[in-house]
Amino acid sequence: MKRRDIFKGTALALVLAATPAFAQDTKVIGVAIPSATHGFMGGLNYHAQAAIERLEATYPSLDFVLATAGDAGKMVNDIEDMVATRNISALVVLPFESEPLTAPVQAVKDAGIWVTVVDRGLSVEGIEDLYVAGDNTGFGRVAGEYFAEALKEGDNIVVLRGIPTTLDNERVDAFTAAIDGTGINVLDMQHGNWNRDDAFNVMQDFLSKYDDIDAVWAADDDMATGALEAISQAGRDGEMWVVGGAGMKQIIKRMMDGDPMLPVNVTYPPAQIATAIELTALGQVSPTPVSGRFIIGSQRITPENAEQFYFPDSPF
Amino acid sequence: MTDTAAPAARPRRRLPLHALGPLLALIALIILGASLNSNFLSAGNVTNVLARSAFIGIIAVGMTFVITAGGIDLSVGSMAAFVAGVMIMAMNAMIPALGIGVPLILAGMLVALAAGLAAGLVNGFLISKVGIEAFIVTLGSMGIYRSLTTWLADGGTLSLDYEARTFYRPVYYDGLFGIAWPIIVFALVAILGELAMRKTPFGRHCAALGANEQVAKYSAVKVDRVRMATYVLLGGLVGLATIMYVPRLGSASGSTGVLWELEAIAAVIIGGTVLKGGSGRVWGTVVGVLILSLIDNILNLASIVSPYLNGAIQGVIVILAVVLQREGKSAD
């Protein structure tokens, strides 16, 4: 409690000295997220900025600090700076990695600041006031259920996996469980690392290796893009379809145009950061209870409902 | 410094057994691949492997000159991503003026080459004229190009206009007499590189510079100019590799070309060029590139072990290929 008061005192003095015009009851919300190094994080950055703009217009009493970090160390520094110099009353954080961020976020919590954790959990439970995340198990299960419905016994599929992580394991295990007992044959699983070029190479090799493939679970839209290109290079367009994931706008556009190779997609929305920021802001400006866990379900996107998942302005 | 000068003069004399080390490793890999999967030697698979080697291969030929001259360039992967991004944006912007056709493609290629040469020139200038350590300059530019690409793409992906891409696509997928264009370009670059290294003053100057800079200077080699030229050449080749890369997927993002620099450097070293400089072998680099991409290909085709271990197997084979040369060398 003491530390909190010191922070408050210094920060208040700074605020008063720097911007005397500011009302004293302005609350600052800190947002710390990884920088936009690939498509999904690019989308996440876009949605974070959009949510902040929206909220600053809606609630004049709220102020936001957004920091993006390229590694865990920088993220820790960002968070410490926010606490020390901006007197934040709430923190929304997507931990770069669970382990290194746990202790710093715990310290923020101990200073009496509201903590919202997004997507990747911390390694100690019960620190955060609010946890917002996508549903990785659901992501694999929803895709698996479509394969189970659309394929017959004895049909052959190949799977492109992401970067070897627990997140990838959860998805693949749920997928495997969903097609269990249907008689669908998983010919091969290899890591495409959520990367277009890697997925292209792996798919080329799958195509050289297997003469009969009926469907591909690419598990990610970047990988789906690479796989589709390899399939069309081999001239085997009509033979198989591909299910990606996460709803990249180019893929959603092709589904809206009725591409037969892309029958469905599964959401894992980068806009979950917006959910987290909005809920946190709501808790700051009103007595609305927002603590707990908020898991955003993975939905099946079909050509019929694709339009509602299409965000042409987002980079993802 | 002084003791590297003496052995550096020797290796050209003959083609001893140890020089064949990487070649033996390559042959062993081909035999292994063929015995594991009957499709391994099919025209389709061979084309796939050679064509996907072309990007790293073209860059690695340039890297051979840089390393031979005692330098290093860590920025090539990021540079390729940056050049690809610039090329895609330029082509998209020129569509209204040029329409979709050959002029647009040529203009895009010019932009890529110019961007690559300019990026190489900046590296070369900072290293040879300003005198900053090559490792530091290119480590810095690696970060700069990578984040510029992410910034240009707004964190997402830069995609070439769909119709322009359809028109440009044959540059990667089609070819001459059934040989894909990237393979032809890679072969030409390799042959010209080998000739330049062995038969031209430039190649000899690179080796002299890498072996002993002082001696080279007193032998009237324009040290700064040669060093700068190696980086400019590498930049130009990065541009050329990008010209072959863009038509493949028609997109570039922050994750394009990640770790290409290490693959290129590894290929150069596997091929028998000395990391300290002083002696370079372009044909060895080509073998090194093929070894690296064959390992991936074989692991995918065979799936004998857990894919989690792919990186480990790759590491073992890379080290073995170099050990083969070392043993020959000490017996020499």
Side-chain angles (χ1 to χ4, degrees):
Chain A
M1 277 300 127
K2 230 187 257 167
R3 187 159 21 148
R4 176 191 181 187
D5 291 336
I6 295 168
F7 280 142
K8 255 195 171 166
T10 45
L12 194 64
L14 278 174
V15 168
L16 286 176
T19 52
F22 260 55
Q24 280 193 17
D25 55 350
T26 297
K27 284 187 169 171
V28 183
I29 298 179
V31 180
I33 51 177
S35 48
T37 46
H38 59 273
F40 179 80
M41 281 303 165
L44 193 113
N45 274 260
Y46 164 83
H47 285 290
Q49 281 163 17
I52 287 173
E53 269 172 38
R54 230 172 19 240
L55 287 165
E56 282 184 331
T58 317
Y59 304 115
S61 65
L62 282 184
D63 211 2
F64 288 86
V65 202
L66 174 67
T68 62
D71 60 76
K74 164 120 184 352
M75 182 172 269
V76 173
N77 296 346
D78 288 344
I79 292 173
E80 285 172 355
D81 289 350
M82 283 178 193
V83 175
T85 64
R86 297 298 303 266
N87 191 28
I88 54 172
S89 49
L91 172 70
V92 179
V93 58
L94 198 167
F96 201 93
E97 283 168 63
S98 304
E99 294 289 337
L101 262 302
T102 299
V105 174
Q106 172 88 61
V108 172
K109 174 72 187 161
D110 292 344
I113 293 167
W114 175 280
V115 171
T116 302
V117 172
V118 189
D119 197 30
R120 290 174 211 165
L122 298 169
S123 50
V124 175
E125 277 180 37
I127 296 176
E128 67 273 5
D129 298 281
L130 170 64
Y131 178 66
V132 177
D135 182 2
N136 284 306
T137 311
F139 183 88
R141 193 191 61 241
V142 170
E145 284 167 357
Y146 178 76
F147 278 72
E149 285 167 29
L151 294 174
K152 306 181 297 291
E153 196 174 333
D155 280 347
N156 295 320
I157 65 167
V158 290
V159 175
L160 294 168
R161 303 187 56 164
I163 294 169
T165 46
T166 45
L167 186 156
D168 186 59
N169 291 347
E170 281 175 21
R171 292 178 174 185
V172 173
D173 289 346
F175 177 85
T176 318
I179 60 167
D180 192 36
T182 56
I184 296 171
N185 225 342
V186 180
L187 295 173
D188 214 331
M189 291 192 185
Q190 290 284 345
H191 291 278
N193 303 325
W194 293 314
N195 177 300
R196 290 181 183 202
D197 292 308
D198 290 357
F200 177 84
N201 291 349
V202 171
M203 193 65 214
Q204 274 191 332
D205 291 344
F206 281 162
L207 290 164
S208 313
K209 194 173 169 189
Y210 304 107
D211 295 328
D212 179 23
I213 302 174
D214 298 297
V216 181
W217 186 43
D220 173 78
D221 285 338
D222 271 319
M223 292 206 285
T225 309
L228 285 167
E229 200 53 61
I231 295 167
S232 91
Q233 181 207 13
R236 289 166 69 173
D237 292 314
E239 289 176 34
M240 63 195 85
W241 41 263
V242 178
V243 173
M248 186 168 75
K249 67 176 175 186
Q250 289 89 346
I251 295 281
I252 301 296
K253 185 75 182 47
R254 283 174 73 165
M255 289 178 65
M256 285 160 65
D257 297 340
D259 190 326
M261 288 185 74
L262 291 164
V264 298
N265 201 290
V266 184
T267 60
Y268 190 82
Q272 58 181 271
I273 189 70
T275 313
I277 297 173
E278 298 261 4
L279 283 175
T280 308
L282 192 61
Q284 293 293 311
V285 297
S286 72
T288 313
V290 289
S291 60
R293 296 168 62 80
F294 193 108
I295 305 300
I296 299 160
S298 285
Q299 291 166 272
R300 187 191 289 185
I301 308 177
T302 60
E304 290 73 42
N305 70 4
E307 201 155 356
Q308 54 191 86
F309 298 96
Y310 184 56
F311 306 104
D313 294 335
S314 165
F316 186 63
Chain B
M1 258 298 159
T2 44
D3 57 333
T4 53
R10 251 194 294 148
R12 182 163 310 188
R13 255 191 355 234
R14 56 200 160 157
L15 194 65
L17 261 181
H18 71 72
L20 295 177
L23 205 58
L24 295 179
L26 180 65
I27 293 167
L29 274 177
I30 292 173
I31 294 171
L32 177 72
S35 65
L36 284 172
N37 193 304
S38 55
N39 285 327
F40 178 72
L41 290 176
S42 67
N45 191 52
V46 172
T47 301
N48 285 348
V49 172
L50 290 176
R52 73 172 82 134
S53 311
F55 316 131
I56 305 276
I58 292 169
I59 294 173
V61 170
M63 189 68 84
T64 312
F65 285 90
V66 169
I67 293 180
T68 302
I72 191 88
D73 192 337
L74 299 173
S75 68
V76 289
S78 313
M79 198 193 283
F82 176 67
V83 173
V86 168
M87 182 184 182
I88 288 170
M89 290 179 79
M91 284 176 78
N92 284 343
M94 285 187 289
I95 288 174
L98 295 178
I100 285 160
V102 178
L104 178 74
I105 305 300
L106 289 179
M109 289 177 171
L110 266 182
V111 169
L113 277 181
L117 287 170
L121 191 69
V122 171
N123 278 346
F125 179 79
L126 289 173
I127 293 163
S128 58
K129 300 290 179 190
V130 184
I132 311 172
E133 202 58 54
F135 188 92
I136 296 302
V137 170
T138 57
L139 184 69
S141 49
M142 170 170 97
I144 293 169
Y145 294 132
R146 177 74 55 207
S147 61
L148 280 179
T149 312
T150 310
W151 177 69
L152 288 178
D154 206 5
T157 305
L158 289 164
S159 297
L160 189 56
D161 176 83
Y162 186 74
E163 281 174 37
R165 195 180 147 238
T166 315
F167 190 82
Y168 191 8
R169 204 170 171 272
V171 172
Y172 181 82
Y173 292 97
D174 286 1
L176 214 55
F177 312 120
I179 304 172
W181 285 116
I183 304 177
I184 295 172
V185 173
F186 178 25
L188 281 177
V189 167
I191 292 168
L192 290 177
E194 177 72 23
L195 287 177
M197 184 65 93
R198 286 176 172 272
K199 305 282 182 199
T200 66
F202 175 63
R204 287 193 291 274
H205 290 169
C206 285
L209 172 56
N212 190 323
E213 189 175 340
Q214 294 304 323
V215 171
K217 203 177 259 172
Y218 295 137
S219 315
V221 174
K222 293 203 169 77
V223 169
D224 286 358
R225 203 178 282 178
V226 171
R227 184 171 287 144
M228 179 111 107
T230 59
Y231 290 97
V232 175
L233 172 70
L234 178 54
L237 288 174
V238 169
L240 184 63
T242 310
I243 289 173
M244 310 272 61
Y245 171 81
V246 168
R248 183 166 87 168
L249 295 173
S251 64
S253 71
S255 59
T256 298
V258 170
L259 294 185
W260 282 11
E261 60 279 348
L262 288 187
E263 280 193 48
I265 294 169
V268 171
I269 306 306
I270 292 172
T273 299
V274 186
L275 186 54
K276 281 182 297 189
S279 139
R281 234 187 262 146
V282 172
W283 69 265
T285 299
V286 173
V287 172
V289 169
L290 295 181
I291 288 178
L292 285 178
S293 35
L294 273 185
I295 298 172
D296 271 343
N297 180 244
I298 290 172
L299 289 171
N300 282 339
L301 285 181
S303 51
I304 22 175
V305 276
S306 156
Y308 293 144
L309 286 174
N310 280 4
I313 295 170
Q314 214 164 1
V316 168
I317 296 179
V318 166
I319 294 173
L320 272 183
V322 177
V323 165
L324 277 176
Q325 301 177 47
R326 274 301 138 83
E327 280 182 351
K329 222 171 232 171
S330 56
D332 196 15

